[in-house]
Amino acid sequence: MTPNTAKVSGDPYEVLCAFLKKESGLIIDAQKRYLVESKMQPIIRREGLNGFHGLVDILINNKSAPLAKEVVETMTINETYFFRDKVPFDKFSQVVLPKLIETRPAYKTIRIWSAACSSGQEPYSLAMILDQMKAQLGGRRVEIIATDLSEAILAKAREGLYSQFEVQRGLPTPFLLRYFDQKGDKWQIKESLRSQVQFRRLNLLGDYNAIGNVDVIFCRNVLIYFDNAGKREVLAKMRRNLANDGFLMLGASESVLGTSTEFVADPMHRMVLSPADANLGAARRPAVAAPATPAALRAAILAG
Amino acid sequence: MTTALVVDDSRVVRGFISKILESIGFVVQQAENGVLAKAACEKSMPEVIIVDWNMPEMNGLEFVEALRAMPNGHEPKVVFCTTENDIKHIMKAIESGADEYIMKPFDRAILETKLDQVGILPHSVETSALAAIG
């Protein structure tokens, strides 16, 4: 690749930040410059580019779509670990799930969406909790849909293969023994648990129709990367996908105060939010189509 | 003040673990093998024990079995911290009465996580989701 820096005007760091915002909604402040540069250095070296200028030139001039995608994915991957922050998982098992079991008929599938799931630790933690609570679920079906912007990180999540360090951060040893197989110096989530999570690529600034209606959304430590307009957009769209009596789980330090009126926090459980218009009925919000299943598609075709 | 006993034949590892524990408010004692650790427990039972597996005189597994047979030996939380990283060793440790298991190499975050999981991390105000769901 031939370096060409002539077309980049202004601070390339700022140009890159504008590019990332446009492509993914990601907001990066000036203090993160070192982080951005250190994440981009391996790409710059591998491609033999003329530093930051060279990389930005390729991005803004659409010279390499795969490289642009890689840059966005590299910057949007979050470090995560099993049962991260612990408390939201307490709330899920002690408050949210009992409420859903109480209010949903046994035949109704409970649908949980892990938005921005990164390498899969969050949806797999949820799958472990659900397995632990099998008796309370009384045979109810539960679907876990996990989405992320990055194809690369979704591939890792689907494989469910983690290093020794990754499985020791947050995961209790009895869970390691129960839900993982040892593969050399790595640990892989057992197939029975992996098959419970559907991983899909999704840009949170894009269309959520493929997700369908859900009962719980885990959207933790994601909104912090959006500006206010981006946050409002994401929350408004999530509201349309969430059941009227559903729950939105935010990160421990996150809040919708001053950003959105779509949700209200439970005064007893800060990071558990409910739709603000829940009591006004479903008529207030546009319906979201249920995801098409092969059986539904077949029935539709047969019906003409 | 929460009391801790760090049992490892490596002075460097004992020092590393002790420093972390002291920085989060533990009062730490050290022992370089199972025999000395057992003697320390007979004198004064700590609230948490971080123990290596491979040590001269009495290994970690033998020490935990001996500890659990002592009067009040069920009281301390026991966390193995060892290079024995295969599933058989981990199972054996848990069956012998250990509460948690750390595979070396490890870092401060992992040690703190494990202390939290056994309910012994000072200043921890939230109960574990996992304890609640059993």
Side-chain angles (χ1 to χ4, degrees):
Chain A
M1 217 169 280
T2 310
N4 178 0
T5 60
K7 292 172 191 166
V8 180
S9 59
D11 183 350
Y13 175 76
E14 283 172 16
V15 178
L16 177 65
C17 289
F19 169 80
L20 289 167
K21 188 185 171 198
K22 184 174 132 260
E23 294 295 316
S24 66
L26 187 70
I27 299 292
I28 300 169
D29 58 40
Q31 285 78 42
K32 300 247 175 79
R33 187 174 191 129
Y34 170 74
L35 177 75
V36 175
E37 286 182 358
S38 64
K39 281 192 167 188
M40 292 300 111
Q41 275 315 320
I43 297 175
I44 291 168
R45 261 200 305 273
R46 189 196 65 213
E47 297 291 321
L49 300 173
N50 182 21
F52 228 59
H53 266 92
L55 179 67
V56 169
D57 173 58
I58 287 174
L59 298 178
I60 61 169
N61 292 303
N62 300 316
K63 287 182 181 172
S64 169
L67 192 71
K69 192 175 165 205
E70 186 184 351
V71 166
V72 172
E73 291 193 355
T74 303
M75 283 313 304
T76 52
I77 289 170
N78 288 321
E79 196 208 348
T80 185
Y81 42 92
F82 292 99
F83 297 99
R84 183 177 178 183
D85 299 334
K86 209 171 61 173
V87 181
F89 295 98
D90 286 347
K91 302 297 181 195
F92 175 71
S93 60
Q94 294 164 10
V95 179
V96 170
L97 208 51
K99 190 78 189 162
L100 291 173
I101 291 168
E102 183 195 317
T103 55
R104 300 285 190 279
Y107 62 82
K108 198 169 182 304
T109 300
I110 294 173
R111 304 187 78 236
I112 302 164
W113 175 19
S114 166
C117 67
S118 192
S119 39
Q121 284 91 332
E122 180 177 270
Y124 287 135
S125 298
L126 292 169
M128 289 179 220
I129 289 179
L130 291 166
D131 184 66
Q132 294 284 306
M133 295 185 73
K134 227 181 322 191
Q136 291 96 311
L137 282 165
R140 278 176 178 79
R141 264 194 82 223
V142 182
E143 274 182 33
I144 304 173
I145 303 126
T147 64
D148 201 277
L149 179 64
S150 162
E151 284 289 8
I153 206 72
L154 283 170
K156 176 176 163 57
R158 280 189 195 101
E159 195 181 13
L161 193 63
Y162 299 97
S163 71
Q164 194 174 290
F165 266 88
E166 288 172 307
V167 295
Q168 295 201 92
R169 291 221 168 95
L171 191 71
T173 299
F175 279 42
L176 178 71
L177 294 172
R178 186 160 179 175
Y179 297 115
F180 288 76
D181 292 317
Q182 191 166 20
K183 304 271 179 182
D185 60 352
K186 297 206 166 190
W187 297 80
Q188 187 169 35
I189 300 264
K190 283 185 191 289
E191 169 58 27
S192 57
L193 209 70
R194 268 186 288 148
S195 64
Q196 289 176 31
V197 183
Q198 306 166 36
F199 289 100
R200 300 178 196 172
R201 184 174 187 273
L202 184 102
N203 185 340
L204 287 175
L205 292 181
D207 186 346
Y208 299 0
N209 275 340
I211 301 296
N213 283 320
V214 292
D215 300 292
V216 187
I217 301 173
F218 273 74
C219 181
R220 304 186 307 134
N221 311 306
V222 181
L223 294 175
I224 46 173
Y225 295 107
F226 291 93
D227 63 7
N228 267 340
K231 279 179 196 166
R232 269 196 296 277
E233 181 187 335
V234 169
L235 288 167
K237 285 195 289 188
M238 286 188 165
R239 171 63 192 100
R240 289 198 287 274
N241 284 69
L242 188 66
N244 273 348
D245 57 351
F247 299 91
L248 170 68
M249 311 291 292
L250 291 182
S253 59
E254 291 177 308
S255 142
V256 295
L257 272 179
T259 308
S260 165
T261 53
E262 306 275 351
F263 294 95
V264 285
D266 182 326
M268 300 287 288
H269 312 286
R270 201 166 43 88
M271 75 265 302
V272 182
L273 291 94
S274 302
D277 61 348
N279 296 328
L280 300 176
R284 272 277 308 258
R285 66 191 179 104
V288 173
T293 62
L297 282 175
R298 187 170 174 275
I301 291 164
L302 289 175
Chain B
M1 289 283 215
T2 311
T3 52
L5 174 64
V6 178
V7 192
D8 198 304
D9 58 339
S10 159
R11 193 166 50 86
V12 175
V13 175
R14 284 201 311 272
F16 176 68
I17 297 173
S18 298
K19 262 193 179 164
I20 296 171
L21 294 176
E22 282 162 0
S23 74
I24 50 179
F26 285 88
V27 173
V28 184
Q29 247 193 302
Q30 297 185 14
E32 61 183 73
N33 60 50
V35 173
L36 293 172
K38 192 166 169 275
C41 291
E42 280 162 356
K43 219 169 146 191
S44 169
M45 194 62 81
E47 287 160 84
V48 61
I49 302 171
I50 313 291
V51 59
D52 186 18
W53 191 296
N54 297 307
M55 294 178 295
E57 306 225 17
M58 182 189 269
N59 71 30
L61 190 71
E62 291 164 345
F63 163 70
V64 175
E65 285 167 349
L67 170 82
R68 292 308 193 202
M70 286 166 68
N72 304 333
H74 62 284
E75 287 174 1
K77 299 291 181 188
V78 174
V79 180
F80 263 94
C81 184
T82 170
T83 51
E84 299 294 352
N85 293 350
D86 61 282
I87 211 154
K88 278 185 188 158
H89 276 88
I90 302 173
M91 299 257 307
K92 229 181 208 178
I94 299 295
E95 282 165 11
S96 77
D99 297 285
E100 261 299 340
Y101 200 96
I102 296 173
M103 295 177 270
K104 291 177 184 169
F106 65 102
D107 60 11
R108 184 190 180 100
I110 289 172
L111 180 59
E112 286 185 358
T113 297
K114 297 295 179 184
L115 292 170
D116 196 16
Q117 278 164 2
V118 300
I120 203 89
L121 189 67
H123 314 302
S124 174
V125 287
E126 292 286 345
T127 55
S128 165
L130 309 164
I133 60 179

